[in-house]
């Protein structure tokens, strides 16, 4: 499903915690996660040197950052199941944090892999049990 320009702009302008909530709900609903790839996955660095693996809920959001900060990278999707069972445990083991829903110039949501996995587990559990509502 393509996102129209107005929706794209509105979501990108949300504060970090709201973008994070949007990410968790949307990814739990679609079962798809996006990052950027060009002969390897895109990475960023925190000021302290910690590596960050950026993630987005849709290709359009990833493309915005590719256009501004990761020239030559292209959005690439992978399954939520792969994120949960393979990637997040590997990131946690390697000490790499997740950069959830970066926007140009805003990198304020960087949960540990364990926290992101727990939040996604909670959201998927709510969906399995038919419970609507947001994250705490």
């Amino acid at each position: 499903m393509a996102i129209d320009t107005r929706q794209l702009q509105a979501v990108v302008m949300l504060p970090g915690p709201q973008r994070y909530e949007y990410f968790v709900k949307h990814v739990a609903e679609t079962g798809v996660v996006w990052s950027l790839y060009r002969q390897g996955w895109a990475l960023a660095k925190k000021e302290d040197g910690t590596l960050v693996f950026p993630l987005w809920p849709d290709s359009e959001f990833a493309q915005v950052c590719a256009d501004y900060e990761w020239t030559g990278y292209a959005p690439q999707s992978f399954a939520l199941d792969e994120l949960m069972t393979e990637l997040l445990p590997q990131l946690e083991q390697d000490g790499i944090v997740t950069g959830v829903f970066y926007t140009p110039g805003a990198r304020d949501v960087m949960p540990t892999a364990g926290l992101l996995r727990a939040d996604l587990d909670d959201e998927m559990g709510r969906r399995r049990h038919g419970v609507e509502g947001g994250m705490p």
Side-chain angles (χ1 to χ4, degrees):
M1 172 185 99
I3 297 173
D4 69 41
T5 304
R6 278 200 319 240
Q7 181 185 7
L8 181 80
Q9 289 173 339
V11 175
V12 165
M13 296 303 291
L14 291 172
Q18 288 176 290
R19 287 194 322 273
Y20 180 78
E21 184 175 345
Y22 178 96
F23 174 88
V24 169
K25 287 181 176 185
H26 190 76
V27 166
E29 179 183 319
T30 64
V32 177
V33 182
W34 292 84
S35 195
L36 293 171
Y37 192 86
R38 181 189 77 195
Q39 298 175 333
W41 293 104
L43 291 172
K45 269 190 188 174
K46 290 173 61 170
E47 289 182 11
D48 67 4
T50 302
L51 290 176
V52 181
F53 186 79
L55 300 167
W56 290 272
D58 275 305
S59 64
E60 290 89 346
F61 298 116
Q63 187 62 55
V64 168
C65 280
D67 291 345
Y68 286 94
E69 299 180 45
W70 281 286
T71 304
Y73 282 77
Q76 184 164 321
S77 67
F78 49 93
L80 175 57
D81 183 58
E82 183 180 350
L83 176 71
M84 299 292 283
T85 61
E86 297 174 30
L87 185 59
L88 290 177
Q90 186 64 51
L91 292 174
E92 196 165 33
Q93 180 180 332
D94 294 344
I96 299 172
V97 298
T98 57
V100 174
F101 210 148
Y102 276 9
T103 60
R107 298 173 177 229
D108 52 349
V109 186
M110 292 183 269
T112 64
L115 177 60
L116 178 57
R117 187 172 52 237
D119 287 342
L120 286 165
D121 269 338
D122 288 348
E123 183 64 24
M124 289 184 301
R126 278 194 283 279
R127 290 179 180 281
R128 274 192 301 274
H129 296 100
V131 177
E132 289 297 320
M135 295 172 40

